[in-house]
Amino acid sequence: MKKLKGAVIGLGYWGPNIVRNFLKIPDVELVSICDISKKSIENAKLSFPPMEMTTDPDKIFANDEIDFVSIATPVSTHFELALRALDSGKHVLLEKPMTLSSSEAKKLIKKAEMMNKILMVGHTFLYADSIQKIKKMIENKNFGEVLYFDSTRVNLGKFQSDVNVVWDLAPHDFSILQYLFGSPQSIHVLGSSHISKKKLEIAHIYLKYTNNFICHIHVSWLSPLKIRSILIGGTKKMISYDDIAPSEKIKLYEKSVSINKSEVTPFSPAYRSGNVIIPHLSQKEALLTELEHFVYCIKKNKKPLSSGEDGLEVVKMLEACDKSLVMKKEVSYV
Ligand SMILES: NC(=O)c1ccc[n+]([C@@H]2O[C@H](COP(=O)([O-])OP(=O)(O)OC[C@H]3O[C@@H](n4cnc5c(N)ncnc54)[C@H](O)[C@@H]3O)[C@@H](O)[C@H]2O)c1
């Protein structure tokens, strides 16, 4: 079967990971990679096999042989590059967050529809075995009702030039929340800027859902430690997820608390503590699964698991965060 010809634009931190993984997919021939920085091109020459390496994205858009473009540039460039790629008849895999505004995201979705091309957003966590296993755990009725989701996503940097820490790190949690639980009812953000004095470097995001399900997300570029941890509590079981643990990333605890309502005094909650289950997780890189899914969607003309519409929902949540920060209060999401 004919190989799909692809290109990657943006070879900073994330782009080379995309290139490395596309090179593993037998159905794909990577024909061009691009970065406006000559230094990035020089680095790419040392790491990757010979192919066109250019500082000019127009060369990619003008090449009719190229079927798809993967874009891993700063967020402020996403809209223009993706629009030009779609206009030139290419399928697009666009990094998160999809765009700087929901109006731009909607225009890309419309353009992809008009051109009959796949538009997928790089919500990488949805392709991780960990999140797939967590989804199964919380959908099992033995988990009980879900009570809370508490995420800590902090490290020192990496400061982004064009977006604040919420737009940089929270898209991961927002895409996970959308995938597992759908949209929240309201969002409230507290944040602060200390180094740049312009962009938030620390933020605490509070989200409320129906049925008393609450979420908290702590994102920071000013932490001495890199922490990627999520706790999800249910009425019967609880999950801990440490994404940077070398093994045993997910633990499912048979722990819960109940209160005998008839015994108000003395107040005596009953704590239940049972087994801890540690599921086996695939060692496959989530990014490789994501790229294979993109290729599958192009070949079969299927809607991706992280479609343009899913990217739009994440951008809408980010806009609600901005609104909450300006208004200094909880804002309705829907
Ligand atoms: N899916 C994930 O898990 C994940 C992880 C990290 C970053 N990202 C996303 O990837 C994107 C890039 O992030 P990064 O950390 O690699 O940024 P980066 O700043 O390290 O790299 C961006 C690169 O894009 C190049 N560039 C800028 N404008 C360009 C243009 N018009 N044409 C061609 N090249 C251009 C820059 O020279 C730079 O080399 C962001 O959207 C980020 O949110 C996603």
Side-chain angles (χ1 to χ4, degrees), residues 9-15 34-37 40 55 57 71-75 77-78 81 95-97 122-125 158 160 167-168 172 290:
I9 303 179
L11 303 169
Y13 160 67
W14 192 239
C34 166
D35 197 295
I36 47 167
S37 144
S40 297
T55 53
I71 299 170
T73 54
V75 189
T77 65
H78 285 184
L81 289 170
E95 263 320 314
K96 62 81 200 162
H123 293 164
T124 310
F125 274 93
K158 163 181 181 282
Q160 297 287 333
W167 282 74
D168 181 35
H172 292 304
E290 175 191 315

Side-chain angles (χ1 to χ4, degrees), residues 75-76 78-80 82 94-106 108 121 163 167 311-312 315 318-319:
V75 189
S76 52
H78 285 184
F79 174 68
E80 202 201 318
L94 184 54
E95 263 320 314
K96 62 81 200 162
M98 182 181 179
T99 51
L100 282 177
S101 71
S102 49
S103 63
E104 287 179 348
K106 284 177 193 162
L108 291 184
V121 181
V163 290
W167 282 74
L312 169 64
V315 173
L318 294 166
E319 287 179 329

